[in-house]
Amino acid sequence: GIGATDLIYLFCGSVDDAITENYEDALRIYHSLLGIENYSFEDFMVDFKVATLDYARWVFSYRLVGDTPEKFKKRAANVDVNMGYFRRHVPRIRWLLELV
């Protein structure tokens, strides 16, 4: 797959809020380290936006179906590291919604 897909999974699943608050900085660093001459940052951002839409489609149409604020609170209190951050941290869901 494309790196942009990996990044949206990483951002939603496991990084601190400080990283998502400045996600464009992280994307710029990642893109610069790719070292691909014919792949502009603007093209990379298009890929990231498409990956984000696809991730949001999966999250809201499948993964969070039936979830409630109470379930989020319970998962936040009893952290399972195998469960994505987006399933126990409401600000991360809000961040994802703002991206799409």
Side-chain angles (χ1 to χ4, degrees):
I2 60 173
T5 299
D6 295 339
L7 290 171
I8 193 60
Y9 273 79
L10 177 68
F11 288 161
C12 288
S14 61
V15 300
D16 291 337
D17 289 337
I19 293 173
T20 56
E21 289 170 6
N22 300 301
Y23 76 96
E24 286 189 32
D25 293 341
L27 293 176
R28 285 187 186 283
I29 292 168
Y30 179 88
H31 178 262
S32 71
L33 294 172
L34 287 174
I36 301 172
E37 291 181 26
N38 296 327
Y39 189 43
S40 70
F41 183 71
E42 291 76 22
D43 290 341
F44 173 70
M45 284 303 295
V46 168
D47 289 343
F48 181 75
K49 289 176 184 179
V50 170
T52 300
L53 285 170
D54 185 53
Y55 185 85
R57 174 202 54 82
W58 172 74
V59 165
F60 296 112
S61 65
Y62 173 73
R63 198 68 189 125
L64 295 180
V65 172
D67 274 7
T68 63
E70 292 76 27
K71 287 182 181 180
F72 266 73
K73 288 176 188 174
K74 184 176 179 181
R75 287 192 294 255
N78 300 305
V79 174
D80 176 353
V81 296
N82 294 311
M83 186 174 291
Y85 201 44
F86 73 96
R87 297 206 55 212
R88 64 181 185 271
H89 189 61
V90 173
R92 189 56 45 89
I93 290 297
R94 185 178 316 119
W95 177 81
L96 178 59
L97 284 168
E98 289 171 358
L99 284 181
V100 296

